[in-house]
Amino acid sequence: METDTVQGETADGAAARRREQRGWYFYDWACSVYSTSVLTVFLGPYLTSVAESAADADGFVHPLGVPVRAGSFFAYSVSASVILAIVVMPLAGARADRTGRGKPLLAAAAYLGAAATAGMFFLDGDRYLLGGLLLVVANASFAVAMALYNSYLPRIAPPEERDAVSSRGWAFGYAAGSLVLIVDLVLYTAHDSFGLTESEAVRVCLASAGLWWGVFTLVPLRRLRDRRAKGAAGTPGAPGAPDGSGPSVHGWRQLVTTLRDMRSRPLTLAFLLAYLVYNDGVQTVISQASVYGSQELGLDQSTLIVAVLLVQVLAVAGALAMGRLARAHGAKRTILGSLVAWTATIGAGYFLPAGSPVWFFVLAAGIGLVLGGSQALSRSLFSHLVPSGKEAEYFSAYEMSDRGMSWLGPLLFGLTYQLTGSYRDAIVSLVAFFVVGFVLLLRVPVRQAVRDAGNPVPERI
């Protein structure tokens, strides 16, 4: 249902706002296919197989002369992409804020990522270095574009609409991911009927995700409007400022200023630290589960696609169910319960028998039921800990935690496999993130944190 006219807004203004919101939804529709089809399903197992074909007799590849187990190459590449995103995100965000021209930067990041993804069609033979490079570029571009995309939410929706608008965008993304995965499943399972080899079918699925990303990005680029930055040239940090500090310098300064301000609200910072830890585990499970399923459990690509589809559907149901639990028991208790469920699910994954799709589907169902809810409730809980008037800068730090800091998990996964040669050891190592995150969150007195932020304390939180 469309939103109503807000107070003081004309009917034409409301129509323009709704049109812009609909355009905004379509970026999630465009880019979520990369997250599901490429990062979660196809690229991990396929890039690992390419690296294995290039490996020496001991199972190692040697990028830049460094010995790396072929099975760890994908995880290391994901870590490298996230580190690159950490460097670029504050620079891009600051330039967008200071110039008021976020749309060209969004276009640049989106199309660079889409082009790198489409280029994965040429990833065959033993071209593992090409695959690693394309992954780093695509994944870093995805993170930067998402940060820019999310920054439009306060501009296109008043506070009372943001939950609904954000949820619709999230739903659009899951719908697109599910739709394209169904098409991918048909193409992959019936590749002979289409005159394709299995490898060619995978590369078509990878490349088509890049094309989808690029084509549907046109919709938000046509409908979103840039707003000029407030302040004139000559103000410190503005383009052309006398101190010579441009948007890039301002980006790092703003991040440092925000973190310093958080130090005066240590409980908000403590929650952000807890979220950083357990979300790192969540993101690593998402990116590495298909590698575990294919390499350790010996499951075929069709099984992995169906499992991810199951996760997509149950993530929506789980988010709704956990939302109801939060209303009854509070967001903090519900998140803590979800972390217990994450720990049990990943621990059980260690004991999954090889070659048994049914048990892998059970694992996928467990992940799906806690995935959407734990992330959605974390964002809503954090919103209570943000002081009024500082929403944008605090949520920028939150976005850095959400998108930019999830590098330690893939690194630990890769190192564990590097040292042990076992994907079971690698997957169970991720339990540490949920256990440590649980302990850190348990220690945060959220009611006091809300009061310290100057916000009213909800009846249940």
Side-chain angles (χ1 to χ4, degrees), residues 317-328:
L320 295 174
M322 287 178 63
R324 287 193 290 270
L325 286 173
R327 285 194 293 272

Side-chain angles (χ1 to χ4, degrees), residues 351-370:
F351 299 100
L352 288 186
S356 178
V358 172
W359 287 109
F360 191 71
F361 290 150
V362 172
L363 181 71
I367 291 173
L369 287 172
V370 294

Side-chain angles (χ1 to χ4, degrees), residues 20-294:
E20 196 170 7
Q21 288 171 0
R22 287 192 292 267
W24 185 81
Y25 301 150
F26 264 93
Y27 187 70
D28 229 322
W29 175 273
C31 72
S32 292
V33 171
Y34 166 81
S35 181
T36 53
S37 291
V38 177
L39 193 62
T40 305
V41 177
F42 286 107
L43 187 57
Y46 185 70
L47 181 56
T48 300
S49 68
V50 172
E52 287 174 345
S53 69
D56 59 22
D58 296 320
F60 285 83
V61 291
H62 300 270
L64 304 177
V66 179
V68 173
R69 277 192 184 271
S72 298
F73 182 73
F74 173 70
Y76 289 158
S77 298
V78 172
S79 287
S81 72
V82 176
I83 292 171
L84 177 61
I86 292 172
V87 174
V88 177
M89 267 197 290
L91 309 184
R95 182 171 290 276
D97 287 341
R98 301 294 284 179
T99 64
R101 291 177 55 79
K103 197 157 65 169
L105 293 169
L106 174 61
Y111 281 108
L112 180 59
T117 306
M120 292 174 186
F121 179 79
F122 302 102
L123 177 58
D124 61 352
D126 58 357
R127 298 177 179 175
Y128 76 97
L129 283 176
L130 174 63
L133 176 63
L134 292 174
L135 169 58
V136 169
V137 172
N139 213 39
S141 298
F142 176 82
V144 172
M146 281 302 297
L148 294 166
Y149 161 71
N150 287 334
S151 73
Y152 277 90
L153 180 58
R155 308 174 197 173
I156 65 173
E160 64 272 19
E161 291 183 1
R162 288 176 195 166
D163 287 344
V165 170
S166 178
S167 296
R168 289 187 192 117
W170 184 72
F172 263 56
Y174 271 95
S178 299
L179 176 64
V180 173
L181 274 180
I182 292 171
V183 176
D184 288 343
L185 179 61
V186 172
L187 177 64
Y188 180 81
T189 55
H191 58 82
D192 289 335
S193 301
F194 294 99
L196 300 172
T197 65
E198 182 176 326
S199 173
E200 288 170 342
V202 171
R203 290 189 286 123
V204 167
C205 291
L206 293 172
S208 63
L211 295 176
W212 178 286
W213 186 358
V215 168
F216 285 105
T217 294
L218 292 171
V219 179
L221 292 180
R222 287 180 62 86
R223 292 195 174 186
L224 290 175
R225 294 184 297 112
D226 275 333
R227 280 77 168 170
R228 289 190 176 277
K230 295 181 180 180
T235 57
D243 65 1
S245 61
S248 297
V249 175
H250 178 78
W252 292 107
R253 287 180 177 173
Q254 183 60 62
L255 182 61
V256 171
T257 300
T258 301
L259 293 176
R260 284 177 178 169
D261 187 71
M262 281 187 177
R263 290 177 63 185
S264 66
R265 297 174 178 83
L267 297 182
T268 299
L269 193 59
F271 172 81
L272 195 62
L273 176 62
Y275 174 74
L276 186 154
V277 172
Y278 68 74
N279 184 64
D280 201 343
V282 171
Q283 297 301 323
T284 306
V285 171
I286 292 171
S287 66
Q288 303 300 322
S290 60
V291 175
Y292 181 68
S294 64

Side-chain angles (χ1 to χ4, degrees), residues 13 53 73 106 161 171 277 294 297 309 340 378 394 433-434 438:
S53 69
F73 182 73
L106 174 61
E161 291 183 1
V277 172
S294 64
L297 304 182
L309 272 172
V340 173
S378 296
Y394 271 60
F433 290 94
F434 300 106
F438 178 94

